[in-house]
């Protein structure tokens, strides 16, 4: 497929899923606004309607909680297509939201849109409005999810990572009880192949955690210590660190020196602390189970994603070699789990499949670290997947088959970014 054809089809997908002031990830499977989907979708929207791109992020932040948290789902309209819906979350908000958060890409997205804006006045005005809100979210993370000031934050639910059923969570999730969860009907497996989705045993634990946090009145000052699931994910933290340093640059450009200094300090402390997660044996970073204070022996894409932050050049080079090694084992890069691990599953959600959003962040970071050839390999693989299998939610890295939902918004947005940034070198 010609790059321009792929681009035009991507625009069609975005328009199809546009609900006016926000975009759904895909019709049916995900009928509401999701946090990191929206911020990454804004990067696609900006190419044909910059004002609409800012609105996508603004709409999400209109539903920011008073304590600074930005929820992972905003239930703008009723729909019985998705479970768990607003009644399960019961967060007590006028427009219902979930009660957990998601990878904080907003700071990164806002800077990227601002930097390339064709309308400097509008960009400055829109960015200035968002700046304190994104800053409040970053502050919320370090206050509520890093209560002992380690410099790295914990996720309290696998859904917060965005990598719902990663092998990274298996052991920690085993400690989450299932008693009292009750009966429920999943809707995801009615829209997508159950073999591509998390298992019932995982869903029982996802729901137990939601019920536990709901029982604590969604009081974020209590959830961290009360949760049996507390994991420090290097990928999640790398996204937060990148957003902190991008927000600091944006704040400097807008003359907001206090926000700049606070976010630069957060990024620096996080980068230093990230070193404690490095694994020489795996050639990447690993998660740490904060409940038992031990590294988790699981080489997932979560430990490759730190390339997206300003990690030391030597670390980025080793990660680039790990990506090359994994790429030789599959046909399409970057698998969400190391194919050499016996637990790898090529078509089950985050246990092996390729996702274009993680490809985008890894390629961006590796290119900045001087690893242009590996970055180009990732971009090429992404565009080959589109040509072979269309705009799927994710892809089997061995066969290239489409998995999960179809006509997927953020996949399309990433294609627009890849095409606009030019053809990768052969
Ligand atoms: C889902 O429902 O699959 C989502 O990933 C949770 O946000």
């Amino acid at each position: 497929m010609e790059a321009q054809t792929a681009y035009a089809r991507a625009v069609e997908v975005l328009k199809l899923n546009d609900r006016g002031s926000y975009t759904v990830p895909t019709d049916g499977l995900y009928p509401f606004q999701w946090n990191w989907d929206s911020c990454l979708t804004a990067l696609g929207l900006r190419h044909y309607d910059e004002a609409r791109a800012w609105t996508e992020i603004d709409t999400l932040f209109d539903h920011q909680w008073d304590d600074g948290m930005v929820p992972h789902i905003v239930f703008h309209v009723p729909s019985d297509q998705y479970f768990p819906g607003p009644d399960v979350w019961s967060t007590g908000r006028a427009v219902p939201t979930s009660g957990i958060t998601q990878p904080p890409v907003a700071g990164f997205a806002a800077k990227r849109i601002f930097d390339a804006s064709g309308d400097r006045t509008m960009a400055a005005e829109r960015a200035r409005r968002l700046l304190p809100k994104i800053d409040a979210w970053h502050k919320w993370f370090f206050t509520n999810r890093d209560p002992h000031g380690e410099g790295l934050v914990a996720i309290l639910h696998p859904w917060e990572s965005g990598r719902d059923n990663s092998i990274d969570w298996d052991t920690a999730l085993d400690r989450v009880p299932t008693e009292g969860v009750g009966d429920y009907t999943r809707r995801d497996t009615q829209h997508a192949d159950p073999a591509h989705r998390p298992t019932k045993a995982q869903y029982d634990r996802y729901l137990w955690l939601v019920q536990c946090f709901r029982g604590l009145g969604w009081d974020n000052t209590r959830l961290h210590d009360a949760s049996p699931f507390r994991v420090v994910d290097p990928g999640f933290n790398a996204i937060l660190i990148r957003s902190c340093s991008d927000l600091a640059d944006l704040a400097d450009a807008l003359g907001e020196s206090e926000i700049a200094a606070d976010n630069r300090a957060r990024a620096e402390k996080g980068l230093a602390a990230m070193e404690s997660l490095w694994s020489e044996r795996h050639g990447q970073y690993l998660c740490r189970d904060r409940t038992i204070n031990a590294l988790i022996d699981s080489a997932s894409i979560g430990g490759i994603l730190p390339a997206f932050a300003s990690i030391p050049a030597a670390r980025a080079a080793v990660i680039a070699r790990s990506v090359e090694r994994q790429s030789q084992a599959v046909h399409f890069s970057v698998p969400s789990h190391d194919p050499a691990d016996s637990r790898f599953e090529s078509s089950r959600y985050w246990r092996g499949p390729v996702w274009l959003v993680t490809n985008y962040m890894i390629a961006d970071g590796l290119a900045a670290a001087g690893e242009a050839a590996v970055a180009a390999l990732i971009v090429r693989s992404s565009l080959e997947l589109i040509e072979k299998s269309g705009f799927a939610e994710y892809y089997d890295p061995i066969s290239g088959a489409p998995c999960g939902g179809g006509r997927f918004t953020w996949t399309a947005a990433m294609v627009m970014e890849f095409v606009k940034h030019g053809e990768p070198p052969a």
Side-chain angles (χ1 to χ4, degrees):
M1 194 190 301
E2 286 294 313
Q4 285 318 315
T5 309
Y7 181 88
R9 293 206 181 143
V11 174
E12 281 169 21
V13 173
L14 258 61
K15 290 190 170 167
L16 184 75
N17 293 330
D18 191 338
R19 298 293 179 267
S21 60
Y22 69 95
T23 312
V24 298
T26 186
D27 204 29
L29 181 61
Y30 299 120
F32 312 109
Q33 182 176 26
W34 261 259
N35 183 325
W36 73 323
D37 291 72
S38 260
C39 295
L40 293 168
T41 296
L43 298 176
L45 287 168
R46 72 183 169 135
H47 293 299
Y48 63 91
D49 187 346
E50 188 189 322
R52 177 67 187 79
W54 288 110
T55 299
E56 184 78 21
I57 306 177
D58 282 343
T59 304
L60 177 68
F61 278 84
D62 284 347
H63 300 274
Q64 182 168 29
W65 287 19
D66 289 347
D67 66 359
M69 200 268 283
V70 182
H72 99 297
I73 306 175
V74 182
F75 298 102
H76 290 285
V77 289
S79 169
D80 59 6
Q81 299 282 299
Y82 180 82
F83 175 86
D87 50 326
V88 177
W89 292 94
S90 284
T91 53
R93 298 187 57 86
V95 174
T97 72
S98 71
I100 57 172
T101 194
Q102 244 183 353
V105 284
F108 157 73
K111 177 176 188 289
R112 188 143 283 192
I113 299 169
F114 178 84
D115 283 351
S117 172
D119 182 339
R120 305 304 304 162
T121 311
M122 175 184 65
E125 192 243 311
R126 306 290 296 255
R128 194 180 294 285
R129 241 190 288 152
L130 269 172
L131 204 61
K133 299 181 185 181
I134 302 176
D135 176 53
W137 190 22
H138 292 175
K139 187 173 177 195
W140 175 86
F141 271 115
F142 290 100
T143 307
N144 293 282
R145 299 306 183 79
D146 181 23
H148 302 297
E150 292 172 18
L152 296 173
V153 303
I155 54 157
L156 306 184
H157 194 298
W159 285 339
E160 292 198 309
S161 70
R163 303 186 294 112
D164 302 6
N165 67 340
S166 169
I167 292 163
D168 293 348
W169 325 133
D170 286 358
T171 319
L173 209 50
D174 272 351
R175 283 198 299 273
V176 174
T178 56
E179 285 75 33
V181 161
D183 293 335
Y184 58 92
T185 305
R186 283 173 65 174
R187 301 305 308 266
D188 58 312
T189 43
Q190 294 163 4
H191 296 290
D193 183 343
H196 297 174
R197 295 285 305 173
T199 62
K200 169 161 169 44
Q202 286 159 345
Y203 255 77
D204 285 349
R205 288 165 175 83
Y206 299 158
L207 290 171
W208 189 93
L209 287 168
V210 170
Q211 291 170 6
C212 165
F213 302 155
R214 190 181 65 199
L216 295 169
W218 297 108
D219 176 353
N220 275 304
T221 62
R222 296 167 71 198
L223 300 195
H224 179 277
D225 289 354
S227 177
F229 183 91
R230 288 198 295 270
V231 179
V232 177
D233 169 11
F236 191 98
N237 277 279
I239 289 169
L240 178 57
I241 289 166
R242 172 71 181 262
S243 278
C244 284
S245 63
D246 281 356
L247 199 73
D249 291 349
L250 191 55
D252 271 338
L254 295 168
E256 297 286 350
S257 54
E258 199 176 320
I259 292 183
D262 287 351
N263 280 279
R264 197 149 285 126
R266 289 170 189 143
E268 279 164 17
K269 189 168 173 185
L271 277 172
M274 182 79 85
E275 284 304 287
S276 67
L277 305 180
W278 179 255
S279 164
E280 207 58 52
R281 182 162 71 86
H282 290 291
Q284 63 164 87
Y285 296 87
L286 296 177
C287 290
R288 184 155 49 81
D289 189 331
R290 191 174 266 173
T291 313
I292 56 168
N293 196 22
L295 286 180
I296 299 174
D297 188 6
S298 171
S300 79
I301 205 163
I304 303 283
L305 270 169
F308 188 52
S310 308
I311 54 170
R315 299 283 193 238
V318 175
I319 286 179
R321 304 292 81 75
S322 296
V323 171
E324 284 172 339
R325 174 183 58 75
Q326 292 188 16
S327 299
Q328 280 156 14
V330 293
H331 295 119
F332 300 95
S333 294
V334 179
S336 48
H337 199 86
D338 188 341
D341 187 329
S342 60
R343 298 167 293 181
F344 168 86
E345 289 179 75
S346 66
S347 57
R348 201 184 279 280
Y349 215 33
W350 286 96
R351 298 175 81 86
V354 174
W355 293 71
L356 259 58
V357 285
T358 42
N359 274 8
Y360 176 76
M361 291 186 262
I362 294 165
D364 180 90
L366 289 179
E371 295 288 346
V374 189
L377 175 141
I378 296 170
V379 175
R380 248 192 332 272
S381 224
S382 304
L383 294 176
E384 279 166 19
L385 282 167
I386 297 300
E387 166 138 33
K388 182 175 168 56
S389 297
F391 296 89
E393 186 178 3
Y394 45 99
Y395 305 86
D396 184 316
I398 299 169
S399 67
C403 302
R407 293 191 289 198
F408 221 84
T409 306
W410 71 1
T411 304
M414 296 301 96
V415 169
M416 293 168 72
E417 283 284 272
F418 288 140
V419 171
K420 281 286 174 184
H421 293 163
E423 283 291 297

